[in-house]
Amino acid sequence: MTMELTNYQIILLFAVGGFVAIMGSLVTSWVLRPRRPNEEKLTTYECGEDPTGTAWGKFNIRFYVIALVFVLFETELLFLFPWAIVFGDEGLNALTQGKWGMLAFVEMSLFILILALGLAYVWGKGFLEWEKPDVKVTDVESKVPESLYEQLNTKYQ
Amino acid sequence: MIAFLIYLPFLLVFVIFAVYAERKVSAFMQDRIGPMETGKFGILQSFADVLKMMQKEDIIALAADRKLFLMAPLVIFVSVFTGYAVLPLSADIQGSAAETGIYFLLAVISLDVIGILMAGWGSNSKFSLFGAMRSVAQIVSYEIPLGLAILCVIMLMQTLSLQEISLQQVGGLGFIHWNIIQYPFLIVPFVIYFIASLAESNRTPFDLPEAESELIGGFHTEYSGFRWAVIMLSEYGMMLLVSLIAVILFFGSWNTPLPNLGPVRLADWTSGTVGQLSADVWGTFWILSKAMLMIFVQMWVRWTYPRIRVDQMMSLSWKYLTPIGLFMVFVSGFWKLWM
C-alpha cells in the first residue's frame, strides 16, 4: 500500500518529527543525568544574592504600544501577500490592457499610504523613541602629547 | 518525506559543526587559535560539549512556572523546524509543496516569539523576563521589514511557493538568472532582509535579549543542561533557516552559479540531468553551499560589529528599515507593471 501525504500532512510530519526528535534527546539526557537538587540550587539566579520578590510584575508600557503598532503592520502584510501574487497577473492584464494591474496597484498604494500615515503619527507622537543614554564627553588634559599616540598608531602599519 | 529525512539529521549535524566553526572563525578573527585540545584541531570539541550537556543536571527553580518552563524549548524548536517543511532542496526534493509556501513559513516562525516569552515568563527570574521582553519587542519590530523585503520578491515572482521561485531562476547563464541580478534594485530589500534576519535569530549585533554583560543569559538564564542545548539548537536552526530563505529568494536557490560559455558547458556540467539523482545531488549541494556562505557572513558580522543599544535597535527598525521597505514595495510594483 502506498501512502501519499498531502502537503499539510507533510508540514504536520515536520512538526511532530521535530518534537519527537527533541523529546528523544531529552529522555536520553533524563536517563543519563544526575538528580541531586538542594535548596540553594533551586533558587532563582540573582547574582548570588537571595532573590527579592517575584519577577512577575509591571513592565514598561512602551512594549504594549510597540505590540499594537506591530499588530497593525502585520495585518497590513497579511493583506499585502495575497495581493502581491495577483496584481501582476499577465492574463488579466492582457485582457484589460493593463487596467487590472493599475487598479490593484493604486488601491493598494492608498492602503499602504494610510498605514504609512499611521507610522508617521506614531513617530511624531514619540512612541518610537526609547530612552537614550546621556553621553558625557570629558576632556582630559593629558601631559602626553598627541604626537606620541600618533607615533604608536603608525608604528605597526 | 525525503526532505524530512534529510533536513532533520542535517540540522543536528550542522549545529555541531556550526558551533565549532563559530568558535574557530571567531578565534581566527581575533588572532587566536580557538579549541585545539579535543581531537585534531579541536574538531571533536562540539561532540564533547553535547556529551557533557547530556549528563548535566536539569535545574528548574522552585519559583518557576514549571509547565511553561518545560514547554518553552520545545515550542521554540518545533516552530523553527516546521519552517523547514516548505523549503526546496532541489528540483525534485521538497518537503511540502503547499502553495502558501513562504506565507506559511513567516507565520510559523513567528510562533518562536511565544516560546521565548514562555521561557522568560516561566523562569520567574528578573533577567529572564527582561530578556524575553526585549526579545519579543525586537523580533516583532523586525518582522515588519523582513516581511516587506520578502514581499518585494513575491511581487516580482507572482508566487508564494518557494519551489516555483527556484524554478523561475533556472537558466543556462548561471548566476545571471538569479533574482538579485535580474532585478538589480533587489539589493536594497536583500540588505533589509539580512539585517532583519540577524535580529530575528537574535544574533549579534542584535543579541540584546541575551546581552551577557547586562542580562546574564537573557531569556535562557535559568535553563541548564540539555534544555539549554535545545534553545541553542533552535538559534542555529533559525540561522540556517533564514540563510536558506535568503538563498532561495535572492541567490538562485538550488541553481548553479556557473554559466555555459560556448562549448564549455559549465552550467550543464554542474546541474545534472533533471529527474535523475545527479540533479538532486547538485541542487542540494548548491543550495546548502550558498547557505553555508551566508552563515559565514552572519558569523563574520557577529565578530565585527559591537552590540547595538536598545534605542538604536528600535529606531533602526521603525525609522529606517520599515519606511525603506515600504518604498521598495512601490519600486517593485512599478517594475513589475511597467518594465
Side-chain angles (χ1 to χ4, degrees):
Chain A
M1 194 180 85
T2 52
M3 206 174 65
E4 273 296 306
L5 291 174
T6 64
N7 287 329
Y8 288 95
Q9 278 168 346
I10 295 175
I11 289 174
L12 187 68
L13 173 78
F14 268 75
V16 175
F19 181 79
V20 170
I22 290 304
M23 278 316 276
S25 38
L26 279 174
V27 168
T28 319
S29 154
W30 179 76
V31 173
L32 291 175
R33 70 189 174 218
R35 266 166 291 271
R36 285 189 285 275
N38 64 40
E39 204 187 331
E40 292 289 298
K41 243 184 226 173
L42 297 183
T43 45
T44 310
Y45 179 73
E46 215 153 275
C47 304
E49 303 285 327
D50 283 336
T52 46
T54 162
W56 296 332
K58 295 176 201 161
F59 43 80
N60 205 318
I61 187 79
R62 250 191 306 229
F63 287 108
Y64 179 69
V65 178
I66 288 292
L68 272 185
V69 180
F70 161 73
V71 169
L72 289 178
F73 273 85
E74 195 73 348
T75 321
E76 177 194 11
L77 276 178
L78 210 68
F79 287 123
L80 279 173
F81 271 91
W83 163 79
I85 57 170
V86 291
F87 86 101
D89 191 307
E90 272 158 30
L92 282 171
N93 275 330
L95 206 68
T96 57
Q97 287 97 42
K99 281 190 192 118
W100 160 259
M102 181 82 96
L103 177 74
F105 189 67
V106 170
E107 275 194 348
M108 209 32 110
S109 305
L110 287 175
F111 181 61
I112 295 175
L113 278 177
I114 292 169
L115 264 149
L117 265 180
L119 181 66
Y121 174 78
V122 175
W123 190 339
K125 276 278 186 179
F127 291 130
L128 301 179
E129 309 295 334
W130 288 60
E131 271 165 55
K132 283 183 189 157
D134 285 331
V135 182
K136 285 187 190 131
V137 183
T138 43
D139 283 320
V140 181
E141 298 255 332
S142 174
K143 282 179 185 148
V144 185
E146 284 280 313
S147 58
L148 269 180
Y149 287 110
E150 286 295 317
Q151 242 176 15
L152 197 70
N153 283 338
T154 48
K155 194 173 171 186
Y156 295 105
Q157 274 172 4
Chain B
M1 194 64 189
I2 302 170
F4 174 73
L5 294 177
I6 295 175
Y7 268 128
L8 187 63
F10 179 77
L11 179 63
L12 301 177
V13 174
F14 161 77
V15 171
I16 289 178
F17 282 98
V19 172
Y20 173 71
E22 176 112 53
R23 296 175 72 171
K24 276 294 188 192
V25 168
S26 68
F28 294 147
M29 282 178 186
Q30 296 167 344
D31 218 356
R32 298 183 283 117
I33 51 174
M36 287 298 274
E37 296 291 326
T38 331
K40 186 87 174 154
F41 303 117
I43 195 120
L44 296 175
Q45 184 65 51
S46 298
F47 291 98
D49 286 344
V50 171
L51 276 179
K52 185 191 77 178
M53 274 187 290
M54 277 276 189
Q55 301 170 53
K56 283 284 174 190
E57 189 173 350
D58 184 39
I59 298 164
I60 303 168
L62 277 178
D65 184 327
R66 233 184 125 82
K67 272 188 210 137
L68 288 183
F69 188 85
L70 294 182
M71 265 170 58
L74 286 165
V75 172
I76 298 175
F77 180 79
V78 170
S79 66
V80 170
F81 186 67
T82 312
Y84 283 86
V86 291
L87 296 181
L89 266 175
S90 76
D92 294 320
I93 307 179
Q94 183 188 18
S96 162
E99 285 188 0
T100 39
I102 187 93
Y103 201 44
F104 165 78
L105 203 155
L106 281 176
V108 79
I109 58 173
S110 303
L111 293 178
D112 185 44
V113 174
I114 297 178
I116 288 175
L117 197 57
M118 279 163 73
W121 185 265
S123 295
N124 194 4
S125 158
K126 282 147 204 160
F127 294 119
S128 301
L129 189 62
F130 289 155
M133 291 312 295
R134 274 195 196 180
S135 183
V136 172
Q138 170 178 318
I139 293 181
V140 301
S141 296
Y142 281 86
E143 198 128 319
I144 308 301
L146 185 88
L148 289 172
I150 291 174
L151 185 73
C152 293
V153 182
I154 302 300
M155 286 168 75
L156 295 164
M157 298 280 105
Q158 294 290 303
T159 174
L160 291 169
S161 158
L162 289 167
Q163 185 67 286
E164 299 240 326
I165 293 174
S166 311
L167 288 169
Q168 289 187 31
Q169 301 179 63
V170 178
L173 288 173
F175 69 93
I176 304 286
H177 295 282
W178 294 2
N179 279 342
I180 200 132
I181 308 286
Q182 289 286 308
Y183 310 100
F185 66 92
L186 278 183
I187 188 77
V188 181
F190 170 68
V191 171
I192 296 176
Y193 174 85
F194 185 69
I195 296 173
S197 68
L198 286 178
E200 288 282 309
S201 41
N202 285 336
R203 293 281 297 178
T204 327
F206 300 97
D207 63 343
L208 305 114
E210 41 196 287
E212 67 277 2
S213 49
E214 1 173 345
L215 289 178
I216 321 298
F219 64 90
H220 55 62
T221 304
E222 292 290 330
Y223 282 87
S224 58
F226 207 73
R227 266 177 233 291
W228 178 82
V230 174
I231 293 179
M232 274 293 118
L233 180 68
S234 319
E235 187 181 317
Y236 279 87
M238 190 73 161
M239 277 169 72
L240 182 63
L241 185 72
V242 292
S243 302
L244 282 167
I245 300 172
V247 167
I248 292 168
L249 293 180
F250 299 99
F251 296 102
S253 193
W254 37 259
N255 293 299
T256 171
L258 303 170
N260 282 331
L261 299 166
V264 190
R265 318 291 295 169
L266 283 176
D268 295 348
W269 295 339
T270 53
S271 305
T273 324
V274 179
Q276 285 178 12
L277 186 66
S278 59
D280 293 337
V281 173
W282 276 113
T284 311
F285 168 74
W286 284 122
I287 193 170
L288 292 180
S289 318
K290 289 179 202 168
M292 292 305 124
L293 205 63
M294 288 287 299
I295 284 170
F296 173 72
V297 177
Q298 287 183 342
M299 289 180 180
W300 186 5
V301 167
R302 171 166 180 182
W303 298 104
T304 305
Y305 292 102
R307 182 181 306 133
I308 61 171
R309 281 198 323 257
V310 179
D311 64 296
Q312 292 169 329
M313 183 264 284
M314 291 315 255
S315 63
L316 177 65
S317 168
W318 291 107
K319 296 184 186 169
Y320 297 92
L321 298 185
T322 305
I324 297 173
L326 287 173
F327 177 70
M328 288 320 288
V329 168
F330 281 109
V331 174
S332 310
F334 272 111
W335 187 286
K336 182 72 197 168
L337 289 176
W338 290 289
M339 292 292 278

